[in-house]
Amino acid sequence: VRRVRHAWDVWTTAWLDDAWRVSGGRVGLFCPSARLADLFVWAGGRPSRLCVWAKTNPRPQFSRRPAYGFEGFLVVGGVQPCAEPRRLFSDVITTAAVIRGKAHPYHKPDRVMAWAVAMVCPPGGTVLDPFMGSGSTGLACRASGRGFVGVERDEGYF
């Protein structure tokens, strides 16, 4: 099956300058491995940390290519210190890709989003997710006492 590309489904870093401005100095985003170089160029000299979601059940590829077994999560502006000093806080999370609700092509499990939110947002802070999907980021924010603003243009996923 050939995938249809819509105008909004084209990779771009054009929105990141506004994300940086609004965030006050810390942006975290999942990104395809083929686009990491673009993101590091955008980050320039800002402190950055590449974190990884290692999937225990990656989506198979039927073209003799390896499955996408990880997703990068780039934090630009420095990783948020762990709120629990005695807890090991790794930049790698290993878990299955579990889908809750309607299938979204880039769905993240609630556990992964809780990890990502903790990496980027201080306790009591607010997260803006401009690609909200079914709301895993919002659930992670609510569970951890953080504020949340979500935007999703496709009502089918919301």
Side-chain angles (χ1 to χ4, degrees), residues 87-131:
R87 184 174 154 228
L88 176 63
F89 196 46
S90 178
D91 57 3
V92 176
I93 187 169
T94 303
T95 187
V98 182
I99 295 179
R100 171 188 41 78
K102 295 181 180 180
H104 184 276
Y106 305 107
H107 180 83
K108 308 294 184 291
D110 297 347
R111 182 171 167 233
V112 171
M113 291 316 301
W115 168 81
V117 164
M119 289 284 211
V120 177
C121 185
T126 300
V127 172
L128 167 63
D129 184 350
F131 311 105

Short mmCIF file of all heavy atoms in Angstrom, two decimals, residues 87-131:
data_model
loop_
_atom_site.label_atom_id
_atom_site.label_comp_id
_atom_site.label_asym_id
_atom_site.label_seq_id
_atom_site.Cartn_x
_atom_site.Cartn_y
_atom_site.Cartn_z
N ARG A 87 16.25 8.32 42.61
CA ARG A 87 15.71 7.50 41.53
C ARG A 87 16.63 7.59 40.31
O ARG A 87 17.04 8.67 39.92
CB ARG A 87 14.32 8.01 41.15
CG ARG A 87 13.64 7.18 40.13
CD ARG A 87 12.21 7.67 39.93
NE ARG A 87 11.83 7.30 38.60
CZ ARG A 87 11.26 8.09 37.72
NH1 ARG A 87 10.97 9.32 38.04
NH2 ARG A 87 10.96 7.67 36.53
N LEU A 88 16.92 6.44 39.70
CA LEU A 88 17.70 6.43 38.47
C LEU A 88 16.81 6.93 37.35
O LEU A 88 15.71 6.43 37.14
CB LEU A 88 18.18 5.01 38.17
CG LEU A 88 18.94 4.84 36.85
CD1 LEU A 88 20.23 5.65 36.88
CD2 LEU A 88 19.23 3.37 36.60
N PHE A 89 17.27 7.94 36.65
CA PHE A 89 16.49 8.55 35.58
C PHE A 89 17.28 8.38 34.30
O PHE A 89 18.26 9.08 34.07
CB PHE A 89 16.27 10.03 35.92
CG PHE A 89 15.19 10.70 35.11
CD1 PHE A 89 13.97 10.09 34.92
CD2 PHE A 89 15.39 11.95 34.58
CE1 PHE A 89 12.97 10.72 34.19
CE2 PHE A 89 14.40 12.59 33.86
CZ PHE A 89 13.19 11.97 33.68
N SER A 90 16.90 7.43 33.49
CA SER A 90 17.67 7.07 32.30
C SER A 90 17.19 7.86 31.08
O SER A 90 16.03 8.24 30.98
CB SER A 90 17.52 5.57 32.03
OG SER A 90 18.22 5.23 30.86
N ASP A 91 18.10 8.06 30.13
CA ASP A 91 17.72 8.68 28.87
C ASP A 91 17.28 7.62 27.85
O ASP A 91 17.09 7.90 26.69
CB ASP A 91 18.84 9.55 28.30
CG ASP A 91 20.13 8.81 28.10
OD1 ASP A 91 20.18 7.58 28.33
OD2 ASP A 91 21.12 9.45 27.71
N VAL A 92 17.09 6.38 28.32
CA VAL A 92 16.56 5.29 27.50
C VAL A 92 15.38 4.68 28.23
O VAL A 92 15.46 4.39 29.42
CB VAL A 92 17.62 4.19 27.23
CG1 VAL A 92 17.01 3.04 26.45
CG2 VAL A 92 18.81 4.77 26.50
N ILE A 93 14.28 4.49 27.52
CA ILE A 93 13.13 3.76 28.06
C ILE A 93 12.85 2.61 27.10
O ILE A 93 12.90 2.78 25.88
CB ILE A 93 11.89 4.66 28.24
CG1 ILE A 93 10.78 3.89 28.97
CG2 ILE A 93 11.42 5.24 26.94
CD1 ILE A 93 9.63 4.77 29.43
N THR A 94 12.62 1.44 27.68
CA THR A 94 12.35 0.25 26.88
C THR A 94 10.96 -0.25 27.23
O THR A 94 10.68 -0.58 28.39
CB THR A 94 13.38 -0.86 27.16
OG1 THR A 94 14.68 -0.33 26.89
CG2 THR A 94 13.14 -2.07 26.29
N THR A 95 10.10 -0.27 26.24
CA THR A 95 8.73 -0.73 26.44
C THR A 95 8.10 -1.06 25.09
O THR A 95 8.61 -0.66 24.05
CB THR A 95 7.89 0.34 27.19
OG1 THR A 95 6.62 -0.21 27.51
CG2 THR A 95 7.72 1.59 26.38
N ALA A 96 7.00 -1.77 25.14
CA ALA A 96 6.28 -2.12 23.92
C ALA A 96 5.51 -0.91 23.39
O ALA A 96 5.13 -0.02 24.14
CB ALA A 96 5.30 -3.27 24.20
N ALA A 97 5.29 -0.91 22.10
CA ALA A 97 4.44 0.10 21.47
C ALA A 97 3.00 -0.40 21.60
O ALA A 97 2.57 -1.27 20.86
CB ALA A 97 4.83 0.28 20.01
N VAL A 98 2.29 0.13 22.60
CA VAL A 98 0.93 -0.29 22.88
C VAL A 98 -0.01 0.81 22.43
O VAL A 98 0.21 1.99 22.73
CB VAL A 98 0.73 -0.54 24.40
CG1 VAL A 98 -0.68 -1.03 24.68
CG2 VAL A 98 1.76 -1.52 24.90
N ILE A 99 -1.07 0.44 21.72
CA ILE A 99 -2.00 1.44 21.21
C ILE A 99 -3.26 1.45 22.06
O ILE A 99 -3.87 0.43 22.31
CB ILE A 99 -2.33 1.18 19.73
CG1 ILE A 99 -1.07 1.36 18.91
CG2 ILE A 99 -3.45 2.08 19.25
CD1 ILE A 99 -1.23 1.13 17.44
N ARG A 100 -3.63 2.65 22.52
CA ARG A 100 -4.84 2.88 23.29
C ARG A 100 -5.78 3.70 22.42
O ARG A 100 -5.41 4.70 21.86
CB ARG A 100 -4.50 3.66 24.57
CG ARG A 100 -5.71 4.14 25.34
CD ARG A 100 -5.32 5.07 26.50
NE ARG A 100 -4.29 6.03 26.22
CZ ARG A 100 -4.48 7.17 25.54
NH1 ARG A 100 -5.63 7.47 25.03
NH2 ARG A 100 -3.48 8.01 25.36
N GLY A 101 -7.01 3.26 22.31
CA GLY A 101 -7.98 4.04 21.53
C GLY A 101 -7.74 3.90 20.04
O GLY A 101 -7.27 2.88 19.56
N LYS A 102 -8.01 4.96 19.31
CA LYS A 102 -7.86 4.95 17.85
C LYS A 102 -6.39 4.93 17.46
O LYS A 102 -5.58 5.62 18.05
CB LYS A 102 -8.54 6.17 17.24
CG LYS A 102 -10.03 6.16 17.44
CD LYS A 102 -10.66 7.37 16.78
CE LYS A 102 -12.15 7.33 17.00
NZ LYS A 102 -12.82 8.46 16.39
N ALA A 103 -6.08 4.15 16.46
CA ALA A 103 -4.70 4.02 16.01
C ALA A 103 -4.24 5.31 15.33
O ALA A 103 -4.85 5.79 14.40
CB ALA A 103 -4.55 2.85 15.06
N HIS A 104 -3.17 5.87 15.83
CA HIS A 104 -2.54 7.06 15.27
C HIS A 104 -1.18 6.61 14.75
O HIS A 104 -0.52 5.79 15.39
CB HIS A 104 -2.38 8.11 16.38
CG HIS A 104 -1.82 9.41 15.92
ND1 HIS A 104 -0.48 9.62 15.78
CD2 HIS A 104 -2.43 10.57 15.57
CE1 HIS A 104 -0.27 10.87 15.37
NE2 HIS A 104 -1.44 11.46 15.23
N PRO A 105 -0.73 7.09 13.61
CA PRO A 105 0.53 6.57 13.05
C PRO A 105 1.75 6.79 13.93
O PRO A 105 2.74 6.09 13.80
CB PRO A 105 0.67 7.30 11.72
CG PRO A 105 -0.30 8.42 11.74
CD PRO A 105 -1.36 8.08 12.75
N TYR A 106 1.70 7.74 14.84
CA TYR A 106 2.86 8.02 15.69
C TYR A 106 2.49 7.93 17.17
O TYR A 106 3.03 8.65 17.99
CB TYR A 106 3.45 9.40 15.35
CG TYR A 106 3.79 9.51 13.90
CD1 TYR A 106 3.02 10.27 13.04
CD2 TYR A 106 4.85 8.78 13.37
CE1 TYR A 106 3.32 10.34 11.69
CE2 TYR A 106 5.14 8.83 12.02
CZ TYR A 106 4.38 9.62 11.19
OH TYR A 106 4.68 9.67 9.86
N HIS A 107 1.58 7.06 17.49
CA HIS A 107 1.10 6.90 18.87
C HIS A 107 2.24 6.55 19.81
O HIS A 107 3.13 5.77 19.49
CB HIS A 107 0.04 5.81 18.94
CG HIS A 107 -0.49 5.60 20.32
ND1 HIS A 107 -1.48 6.38 20.85
CD2 HIS A 107 -0.13 4.73 21.29
CE1 HIS A 107 -1.72 5.99 22.09
NE2 HIS A 107 -0.91 4.99 22.38
N LYS A 108 2.20 7.15 20.99
CA LYS A 108 3.19 6.85 22.05
C LYS A 108 2.43 6.30 23.25
O LYS A 108 1.43 6.87 23.67
CB LYS A 108 3.94 8.12 22.48
CG LYS A 108 4.57 8.92 21.35
CD LYS A 108 5.68 8.16 20.67
CE LYS A 108 6.39 8.98 19.61
NZ LYS A 108 5.62 9.29 18.43
N PRO A 109 2.92 5.22 23.84
CA PRO A 109 2.27 4.69 25.05
C PRO A 109 2.33 5.70 26.19
O PRO A 109 3.23 6.53 26.27
CB PRO A 109 3.12 3.46 25.39
CG PRO A 109 3.82 3.09 24.13
CD PRO A 109 4.03 4.39 23.39
N ASP A 110 1.35 5.60 27.10
CA ASP A 110 1.27 6.53 28.22
C ASP A 110 2.58 6.54 29.03
O ASP A 110 3.04 7.60 29.45
CB ASP A 110 0.10 6.17 29.14
CG ASP A 110 -1.24 6.29 28.42
OD1 ASP A 110 -1.30 6.89 27.33
OD2 ASP A 110 -2.24 5.80 28.97
N ARG A 111 3.18 5.37 29.23
CA ARG A 111 4.43 5.28 30.02
C ARG A 111 5.57 6.06 29.34
O ARG A 111 6.37 6.72 30.00
CB ARG A 111 4.80 3.82 30.20
CG ARG A 111 6.02 3.61 31.03
CD ARG A 111 6.22 2.13 31.37
NE ARG A 111 7.56 1.96 31.89
CZ ARG A 111 8.42 1.09 31.44
NH1 ARG A 111 8.11 0.26 30.48
NH2 ARG A 111 9.63 1.01 31.96
N VAL A 112 5.63 5.98 28.04
CA VAL A 112 6.67 6.70 27.29
C VAL A 112 6.45 8.20 27.41
O VAL A 112 7.40 8.97 27.60
CB VAL A 112 6.71 6.25 25.82
CG1 VAL A 112 7.61 7.13 24.98
CG2 VAL A 112 7.14 4.78 25.72
N MET A 113 5.20 8.63 27.33
CA MET A 113 4.93 10.06 27.42
C MET A 113 5.17 10.59 28.84
O MET A 113 5.62 11.72 29.00
CB MET A 113 3.50 10.38 26.96
CG MET A 113 3.32 10.17 25.46
SD MET A 113 4.67 10.82 24.42
CE MET A 113 4.66 12.55 24.85
N ALA A 114 4.93 9.77 29.86
CA ALA A 114 5.24 10.20 31.23
C ALA A 114 6.74 10.42 31.37
O ALA A 114 7.19 11.39 31.99
CB ALA A 114 4.76 9.14 32.23
N TRP A 115 7.54 9.54 30.78
CA TRP A 115 9.01 9.66 30.77
C TRP A 115 9.43 10.93 30.04
O TRP A 115 10.26 11.70 30.53
CB TRP A 115 9.57 8.39 30.12
CG TRP A 115 11.00 8.39 29.73
CD1 TRP A 115 12.08 8.15 30.54
CD2 TRP A 115 11.53 8.55 28.41
NE1 TRP A 115 13.24 8.17 29.80
CE2 TRP A 115 12.92 8.41 28.49
CE3 TRP A 115 10.95 8.80 27.17
CZ2 TRP A 115 13.75 8.52 27.38
CZ3 TRP A 115 11.77 8.90 26.06
CH2 TRP A 115 13.15 8.77 26.18
N ALA A 116 8.85 11.16 28.85
CA ALA A 116 9.22 12.33 28.05
C ALA A 116 8.84 13.63 28.75
O ALA A 116 9.63 14.58 28.77
CB ALA A 116 8.55 12.25 26.67
N VAL A 117 7.67 13.67 29.34
CA VAL A 117 7.22 14.88 30.05
C VAL A 117 8.17 15.18 31.21
O VAL A 117 8.56 16.33 31.43
CB VAL A 117 5.76 14.71 30.53
CG1 VAL A 117 5.39 15.74 31.59
CG2 VAL A 117 4.81 14.80 29.34
N ALA A 118 8.55 14.14 31.95
CA ALA A 118 9.47 14.34 33.08
C ALA A 118 10.83 14.85 32.63
O ALA A 118 11.51 15.58 33.35
CB ALA A 118 9.63 13.04 33.87
N MET A 119 11.26 14.48 31.41
CA MET A 119 12.54 14.93 30.87
C MET A 119 12.55 16.42 30.54
O MET A 119 13.59 17.07 30.60
CB MET A 119 12.88 14.19 29.58
CG MET A 119 13.25 12.76 29.77
SD MET A 119 14.90 12.65 30.41
CE MET A 119 15.41 11.13 29.72
N VAL A 120 11.38 16.95 30.19
CA VAL A 120 11.32 18.30 29.63
C VAL A 120 10.69 19.34 30.55
O VAL A 120 11.10 20.48 30.57
CB VAL A 120 10.56 18.28 28.27
CG1 VAL A 120 10.41 19.66 27.70
CG2 VAL A 120 11.26 17.37 27.28
N CYS A 121 9.68 18.94 31.31
CA CYS A 121 8.88 19.92 32.04
C CYS A 121 9.07 19.81 33.55
O CYS A 121 8.94 18.72 34.11
CB CYS A 121 7.40 19.71 31.70
SG CYS A 121 6.30 20.93 32.42
N PRO A 122 9.34 20.92 34.23
CA PRO A 122 9.47 20.87 35.69
C PRO A 122 8.12 20.58 36.34
O PRO A 122 7.08 20.89 35.77
CB PRO A 122 9.98 22.26 36.06
CG PRO A 122 9.57 23.13 34.94
CD PRO A 122 9.54 22.27 33.71
N PRO A 123 8.12 20.01 37.54
CA PRO A 123 6.86 19.79 38.26
C PRO A 123 6.10 21.11 38.39
O PRO A 123 6.69 22.15 38.67
CB PRO A 123 7.31 19.27 39.63
CG PRO A 123 8.65 18.65 39.36
CD PRO A 123 9.28 19.50 38.29
N GLY A 124 4.81 21.07 38.13
CA GLY A 124 3.99 22.28 38.19
C GLY A 124 4.01 23.10 36.92
O GLY A 124 3.25 24.05 36.78
N GLY A 125 4.87 22.74 35.96
CA GLY A 125 4.95 23.45 34.68
C GLY A 125 3.82 23.04 33.75
O GLY A 125 2.94 22.27 34.10
N THR A 126 3.86 23.58 32.54
CA THR A 126 2.84 23.30 31.53
C THR A 126 3.50 22.83 30.25
O THR A 126 4.51 23.39 29.82
CB THR A 126 2.00 24.56 31.24
OG1 THR A 126 1.36 24.97 32.46
CG2 THR A 126 0.94 24.30 30.18
N VAL A 127 2.92 21.81 29.63
CA VAL A 127 3.40 21.26 28.37
C VAL A 127 2.46 21.68 27.25
O VAL A 127 1.24 21.59 27.39
CB VAL A 127 3.46 19.71 28.43
CG1 VAL A 127 3.77 19.12 27.07
CG2 VAL A 127 4.50 19.26 29.46
N LEU A 128 3.03 22.13 26.14
CA LEU A 128 2.27 22.39 24.92
C LEU A 128 2.61 21.27 23.94
O LEU A 128 3.77 21.07 23.59
CB LEU A 128 2.67 23.74 24.30
CG LEU A 128 2.16 23.98 22.87
CD1 LEU A 128 0.64 24.00 22.82
CD2 LEU A 128 2.75 25.27 22.32
N ASP A 129 1.59 20.53 23.51
CA ASP A 129 1.77 19.45 22.52
C ASP A 129 1.02 19.86 21.26
O ASP A 129 -0.20 19.75 21.19
CB ASP A 129 1.23 18.13 23.07
CG ASP A 129 1.48 16.96 22.13
OD1 ASP A 129 1.89 17.19 20.97
OD2 ASP A 129 1.25 15.82 22.56
N PRO A 130 1.73 20.35 20.23
CA PRO A 130 1.05 20.80 19.01
C PRO A 130 0.63 19.67 18.09
O PRO A 130 0.01 19.92 17.05
CB PRO A 130 2.11 21.70 18.35
CG PRO A 130 3.41 21.15 18.81
CD PRO A 130 3.17 20.61 20.19
N PHE A 131 0.95 18.42 18.44
CA PHE A 131 0.59 17.24 17.65
C PHE A 131 -0.02 16.22 18.60
O PHE A 131 0.48 15.11 18.76
CB PHE A 131 1.82 16.68 16.94
CG PHE A 131 2.61 17.73 16.22
CD1 PHE A 131 3.81 18.20 16.73
CD2 PHE A 131 2.15 18.26 15.03
CE1 PHE A 131 4.54 19.17 16.06
CE2 PHE A 131 2.87 19.24 14.35
CZ PHE A 131 4.06 19.70 14.88
#
